[in-house]
Amino acid sequence: MWRIRASPLPPFDSKEPTFAFSCSTEGRHANALNSSLETRMGTRFLPRAGYAVIIGAALAMPQAAFAYDPTNNPVADAVLASLEAGGAENAAVEDVAVSGDQIVLRGLTADLKKDGEEGSLSAASLAFSNAFVAPDGSVSAAALAATDVKIVQDEDTIEFAALALTDMRMPGPAEVKNPVEALDKKPAYKMLEITGISLQSAGEAAVPVERITSTFDPIGTDGSVKATFSVEKITLNPEAVKDDDFRQKMKTLGYDSVQIDMKAEGEWSAAEGRAQLHDFEISGQDMGTFQLSATILGVTPEVIEKLKAAQEDFGKTMELLQQLSISDLRVHFKNDSVVERVLDQQAKDANTDRAGLVDQLSSSLPGILSLMRNPAFQEKVATAVTTFLEEPGTLTASAHPAQPVPVAQIVGVAMIAPQTIPDVLSVDVTANQ
């Protein structure tokens, strides 16, 4: 199962909140591409997918003694040392070329072994500009460019044609072995771009991804940060998927292929303890666009430090999260024909037309929503959903409480009087506005 995951690599300064991106598959192509952006304050920030893909594939491997053949170049040797610190074996490069301020490692290879699965890592070249090795074994450079990177783990393969990083820092062996302590180190990069990506499981067609980009920009001198992330043109071909049910459903809805894009933008203010997810968006061509934005207060440097220390203690983590407050939250969906396709198909299955199906659904809403035991909110939801079904455009749910609401209060209300949560958060639901 392939993964692009930020977890082992140091994100920002020790006092910064984080958002984590992961891209993974489980159980072959049944979940042809499960892509998620997790907003987990105080754990990790947006993907360090750049060299997460280069060295991250080895970071979770069992520890092994360094066995690489020294190249007599400090940068090349530091890269190989970090790989093997993460558990890679037989890390090597074919040659190292130095020209002015550029160091080029050609023919990088390494063996990957974990949980009985065997794999490999290779890259045609890694070119570092103005690189140097710190006393802790980490490598910093003004820029890193990698070409033709390939990672194979058991029956899964990830490849990309090119990678570019600016103001990058590759963790040293000690950080690789102890990723929690690595969170206190310098940011991983300022800008990242990966192009020509291919994800493939055995016996199935590759899933191409055109581009992944990410930026990280400090704001001021107190550790405040702003970051962006995007994934462009994830293309799925239903006919190439082994899952018969998925393939048939997509064909029935009229999708010969599915193109998905993702993007996100976040900001954290250290002085105010405010974390904002300005815009998280997933869009599918001829399907629709899902958007999420939120503002969370109480994300102070002290809380982040405690969250880092409690990463292995779920109870403590939940206790700390309850110290945060929700200032605003918005979930928005913009239809781009997927609703009509689903309604038409369900109407056909029910031997009726779309208008008849919408009437049936609308008339059943009051009974379904009565379980909420909040008549005023039930009416608001029923009106919005009915409007949306009759004329599929946009559907929005937003929370804008007069004062930020502590998570602890929300948890307490959910346990005692869950029907009042919409009132506590001042939730509104609208359609086509």
Side-chain angles (χ1 to χ4, degrees):
M1 57 191 79
W2 49 260
R3 284 183 172 83
I4 303 174
R5 186 170 284 276
S7 303
L9 295 174
F12 307 132
D13 161 284
S14 63
K15 298 181 176 59
E16 296 166 1
T18 61
F19 303 90
F21 170 83
S22 67
C23 186
S24 65
T25 58
E26 300 287 349
R28 307 275 66 85
H29 231 307
N31 300 315
L33 184 67
N34 300 322
S35 301
S36 64
L37 186 84
E38 306 168 286
T39 54
R40 297 183 297 173
M41 305 303 174
T43 49
R44 299 168 178 85
F45 196 96
L46 291 173
R48 274 75 67 201
Y51 48 81
V53 176
I54 297 178
I55 69 169
L59 294 181
M61 304 296 169
Q63 301 302 315
F66 293 174
Y68 66 87
D69 293 327
T71 65
N72 294 321
N73 180 281
V75 171
D77 288 347
V79 171
L80 297 178
S82 289
L83 279 170
E84 295 204 345
E89 298 179 3
N90 304 315
V93 293
E94 292 179 359
D95 67 80
V96 180
V98 179
S99 178
D101 61 5
Q102 189 171 69
I103 300 171
V104 181
L105 284 60
R106 298 191 182 96
L108 172 69
T109 58
D111 296 327
L112 310 177
K113 295 182 179 180
K114 183 183 180 184
D115 299 333
E117 296 182 354
E118 295 188 0
S120 62
L121 164 68
S122 64
S125 66
L126 298 178
F128 294 86
S129 297
N130 292 311
F132 66 90
V133 180
D136 63 0
S138 62
V139 176
S140 295
L144 166 63
T147 61
D148 297 331
V149 178
K150 181 176 182 179
I151 298 172
V152 178
Q153 190 66 45
D154 194 29
E155 297 182 332
D156 302 304
T157 302
I158 177 171
E159 299 179 79
F160 58 86
L163 157 77
L165 288 166
T166 63
D167 293 341
M168 57 77 61
R169 179 181 181 277
M170 183 177 291
E175 295 172 55
V176 172
K177 291 180 180 180
N178 192 342
V180 174
E181 289 188 5
L183 296 177
D184 293 337
K185 302 296 183 178
K186 180 185 173 182
Y189 60 81
K190 184 174 182 179
M191 184 282 294
L192 165 141
E193 180 181 45
I194 307 175
T195 56
I197 304 149
S198 173
L199 312 169
Q200 186 170 24
S201 292
E204 298 188 355
V207 176
V209 181
E210 184 174 287
R211 176 180 285 104
I212 294 176
T213 61
S214 180
T215 63
F216 161 65
D217 292 301
I219 303 173
T221 59
D222 64 353
S224 298
V225 294
K226 180 178 181 180
T228 65
F229 174 72
S230 68
V231 182
E232 300 175 24
K233 296 184 180 179
I234 305 169
T235 304
L236 300 178
N237 178 5
E239 288 299 322
V241 178
K242 287 184 177 180
D243 189 320
D244 293 335
D245 186 54
F246 172 80
R247 186 171 61 248
Q248 185 57 44
K249 285 181 178 178
M250 297 303 289
K251 183 177 180 180
T252 299
L253 293 176
Y255 292 110
D256 296 324
S257 66
V258 179
Q259 182 174 296
I260 299 171
D261 296 290
M262 297 175 58
K263 67 177 183 178
E265 180 179 330
E267 184 175 331
W268 177 69
S269 169
E272 299 177 17
R274 183 187 69 248
Q276 291 179 288
L277 181 61
H278 293 301
D279 179 28
F280 167 51
E281 179 178 297
I282 300 177
S283 61
Q285 187 176 30
D286 297 325
M287 299 182 78
T289 300
F290 170 85
Q291 296 176 324
L292 171 68
S293 61
T295 300
I296 309 296
L297 303 181
V299 192
T300 63
E302 293 74 22
V303 168
I304 294 169
E305 287 290 334
K306 292 178 181 178
L307 282 168
K308 288 194 319 183
Q311 286 189 76
E312 304 301 323
D313 188 336
F314 178 77
K316 183 63 175 178
T317 297
M318 294 305 298
E319 178 184 333
L320 290 167
L321 289 177
Q322 290 188 44
Q323 298 178 25
L324 308 181
S325 297
I326 295 177
S327 178
D328 61 73
L329 177 67
R330 180 178 182 270
V331 179
H332 178 79
F333 176 74
K334 181 180 180 181
N335 176 56
D336 187 18
S337 85
V338 69
V339 176
E340 292 92 337
R341 295 176 191 234
V342 171
L343 288 175
D344 287 342
Q345 183 56 44
Q346 291 188 349
K348 181 179 180 181
D349 294 342
N351 294 316
T352 185
D353 57 16
R354 187 196 301 176
L357 177 64
V358 169
D359 286 341
Q360 293 176 28
L361 294 173
S362 298
S363 63
S364 67
L365 281 173
I368 297 172
L369 296 174
S370 65
L371 298 173
M372 301 175 69
R373 295 185 296 150
N374 186 327
F377 186 66
Q378 291 165 209
E379 178 63 26
K380 187 179 295 185
V381 173
T383 299
V385 173
T386 297
T387 299
F388 180 74
L389 291 175
E390 291 176 345
E391 187 178 345
T394 63
L395 189 63
T396 306
S398 58
H400 295 288
Q403 298 294 330
V405 180
V407 173
Q409 180 181 344
I410 298 172
V411 172
V413 170
M415 296 175 63
I416 299 172
Q419 72 276 12
T420 65
I421 288 181
D423 302 323
V424 170
L425 292 174
S426 298
V427 178
D428 193 18
V429 181
T430 59
N432 301 338
Q433 293 185 11

